[in-house]
Amino acid sequence: MLLRMSTLLLKTLREEPADAEVPSHRLLVRAGFIRRAAPGGYTLLPLGKLVLDRVTAIVQEEMVAAGGQEVSFPALLPREPYDVTGRWTEYGDLLFTVKDRRGVDHLLAPTHEEMFTLLVQDMTGSYRDFPLLLFQIQTKFRDEARTRGGLLRGREFLMKDAYSYDLSEAGLIETYARMRATYQRIFTRLGLEHAIVSAVSGAMGGSASEEFLATAEVGEDTFVGCTVCDYAANTEAVTTPAPPARAVTAPALAVHDTPGTPSIASLVALANERALGGRTDWAASDTLKNVVVTVHHPGREPEVLAIGLPGDREVDLKRVEAVLSPATVTMFDDFDSRPDLVKGYIGPQNLKIRYLADPRVVPGTAWLTGANESGRHATDVVAGRDFTPDGTIEAAEVRPGDPCPACGDGALTMRRGIEIGHIFQLGRRYTDVFKVDVLGTDGKAVRPTMGCYGIGLSRAVAAIAEQHHDERGLVWPATVAPADVHIVAAGKDGQIEAALTLGAALSRAGIRVLVDDRPNVSAGVKFTDAELLGIPRSVVVGRRLDEGYAELRDRRTLERTEVPLADVAGVITRELG
RNA sequence: CGGGUCGUGGCGCAGCUUGGUCAGCGCGCUCGCUUUGGGAGCGAGAUGUCGCGGGUUCGAAUCCCGCCGACCCGACCA
């Protein structure tokens, strides 16, 4: 490959695009890799397309090596299969739907579980056809409420989605493990530093679920790690270690007048002021905060639910929803209709609604909490004596410094990441609804169990840019760079010709070459552009050409070395290994 | 979907409060000459439905209403 900048469709921008905020978006636009074309949609320019193709090739290669077979479905699909699985409605506003000229409903697919499963149903019949691992690389559509970050979150994006079909749980577990290892290889080859975090499986159902997060400050996902062990998890999936139950030593429950204290802060202040229970060292963590939420179970009446947690913690509704999935949860606000729920003064004693408590609320713990009367609170409200929760719930926000649930020794740290991959054991949700049965070795029907494995390819390009840049521009990993070497003809006279001659020689040796052969462009501009474009090595054919020397530059370290022109091909070939 | 900021040549911006030589600046682009190792110099040029639609007015980039779009925060997010 030999690209000449004199004819390449490329325009680098000297100034920052005003509508780009995150580094990857800014640099990809400024360096001429992408250009916005539609709300949440980007045109890949020649250089951007080269990078995406290299990313895609790596993914294809590893998927095939893992036993995957590539297929390709239409992106425009009929409604019916999605009605069968319920996703036409369950997917909600995120689903891009279209009507054809006859008014018939179609959708622009966000994922393809239905189509893959129907294909498997159509083309298999015997245990001999399994296990099966199919994948495709397809444009996916989601009517995102808010697109952001250029390629990071668009309404249209390129995704590799794979689905495995096994006839046994053991087979699924084995396939899942193989895909997990494959993903680690893929992301390592892409140069992406990543964490594998346990995730909740969400509305898709299924048991094991892990997300691959490329660490980046601009990432939308917060995940926790441990200072001691290798635990990593999405905040939704973090479990709280429960302290051991205690013997009841607290005195009997006592009710106090606490006027004007509907908030934890005001309650703690008043409790100390009045020395409730003889104490003046009340802290928010001594109080039990009781929050009322409305749980919207699909197809059922909403449930009003109370959640108890230490008063120094906020409720994290995402964590609550993760537990109660597929139900959605909102804060309850219709206190007028429930005189039994006294806003600001709710206690767990004698509640008429279901009450779930934070795991820290173990039997024997004594709390300062509401007395279920306006302007009154109670001290020494003891779990297991004065109230018994209907269960525990992971509702409290996770904080840095919280104890690690895995090793118990370390503290949790919080970092941000870009979700670039997600794998999970889907189970039989889809094979059940489509009644996919095949004959087993004993002649009896067996229902395959599924795994699902996705990688956002266009997003991965952005994630790579996010992790590999400096103040001068992009710094592509060699594995995905649009070219292996960037030859800069720095000056006048024969330098452009010499650069092109060198480029042709390298190209013949199988090296991807970009030559800056633009006439009448000053060396300074060419150097700046080379640094912005981020091709890992460049060769400057310039002032020492007459002496037979070129200059090699390393984009990452910015190191320069003089090399005899005749040796350039050899040096680069050696570096490429 | 809520809150905020913003839409003016390809890009970055000024002008808007106070309607009337305000359609302007820098970069980029074209042509000529010079220059050529760190975003060159001089000269001459081209490029705008001022996001879209309606309204007010003798007159609207400027005021009013509606819509669309972008970005940020939040909600949402296989």
Side-chain angles (χ1 to χ4, degrees), chain A residues 91-362:
Chain A
Y91 224 89
D93 291 336
L94 210 54
L95 191 70
F96 245 115
T97 60
V98 265
K99 283 188 194 296
D100 67 16
R101 63 172 78 199
R102 287 171 301 177
V104 178
D105 283 322
H106 298 265
L107 60 93
L108 292 167
T111 61
H112 279 75
E113 282 82 356
E114 284 81 354
M115 303 314 289
F116 274 90
T117 303
L118 285 169
L119 180 71
V120 168
Q121 180 185 51
D122 189 32
M123 295 194 61
T124 64
S126 150
Y127 70 92
R128 295 176 194 276
D129 299 320
F130 294 87
L132 194 54
L133 176 64
L134 299 173
F135 74 99
Q136 72 168 339
I137 286 162
Q138 241 302 6
T139 303
K140 306 287 182 175
F141 298 87
R142 291 186 197 168
D143 193 355
E144 291 286 350
R146 179 185 167 195
T147 61
R148 67 177 288 276
L151 255 26
L152 279 178
R153 173 178 296 279
R155 303 215 290 181
E156 180 181 329
F157 54 95
L158 196 68
M159 174 164 146
K160 186 283 299 177
D161 52 332
Y163 305 88
S164 68
Y165 295 83
D166 280 278
L167 297 186
S168 67
E169 298 309 317
L172 171 58
I173 288 165
E174 194 185 310
T175 304
Y176 181 89
R178 191 166 76 247
M179 288 312 300
R180 191 179 194 274
T182 297
Y183 271 39
Q184 287 179 272
R185 261 199 308 282
I186 288 171
F187 294 126
T188 301
R189 285 182 67 183
L190 295 181
L192 283 169
E193 183 192 306
H194 61 278
I196 305 175
V197 306
S198 334
V200 290
S201 30
M204 307 300 300
S207 44
S209 169
E210 288 170 296
E211 286 177 1
F212 289 72
L213 300 181
T215 50
E217 279 176 29
V218 300
E220 297 181 87
D221 294 278
T222 303
F223 68 100
V224 302
C226 173
T227 51
V228 173
C229 71
D230 60 359
Y231 176 78
N234 219 310
T235 48
E236 284 89 334
V238 173
T239 53
T240 306
R246 304 181 200 168
V248 178
T249 54
L253 180 153
V255 175
H256 307 268
D257 283 323
T258 54
T261 57
S263 68
I264 295 294
S266 56
L267 171 63
V268 170
L270 188 92
N272 283 324
E273 191 184 313
R274 298 201 176 172
L276 283 197
R279 286 177 60 181
T280 56
D281 59 346
W282 291 102
S285 54
D286 298 320
T287 68
L288 182 62
K289 178 194 293 196
N290 301 292
V291 175
V292 186
V293 298
T294 307
V295 185
H296 308 269
H297 300 281
R300 276 200 276 148
E301 284 295 298
E303 178 197 1
V304 179
L305 170 74
I307 296 171
L309 69 162
D312 60 331
R313 302 251 171 190
E314 297 301 323
V315 169
D316 184 338
L317 283 184
K318 288 172 86 169
R319 288 190 13 98
V320 175
E321 284 193 335
V323 175
L324 299 177
S325 174
T328 56
V329 180
T330 53
M331 295 301 290
F332 176 79
D333 53 10
D334 188 16
F335 286 93
D336 292 344
S337 71
R338 295 293 302 246
D340 57 316
L341 298 173
V342 188
K343 185 173 185 183
Y345 300 94
I346 296 168
Q349 319 83 298
N350 308 316
L351 274 184
K352 292 188 176 66
I353 55 176
R354 193 152 72 109
Y355 182 75
L356 300 175
D358 183 270
R360 282 167 279 244
V361 184
V362 292

Side-chain angles (χ1 to χ4, degrees), chain A residues 485-486 502 506 536-541 549-555 557-565 567-573 575:
Chain A
V485 58
H486 184 150
L502 174 64
L506 294 179
R537 315 165 185 75
S538 55
V539 179
V540 180
V541 177
Y549 276 87
E551 183 181 289
L552 252 56
R553 295 187 178 192
D554 183 306
R555 175 59 186 90
T557 63
L558 299 172
E559 262 173 342
R560 308 174 184 190
T561 35
E562 298 278 340
V563 175
L565 199 56
D567 297 350
V568 168
V571 171
I572 288 177
T573 309
E575 279 184 12

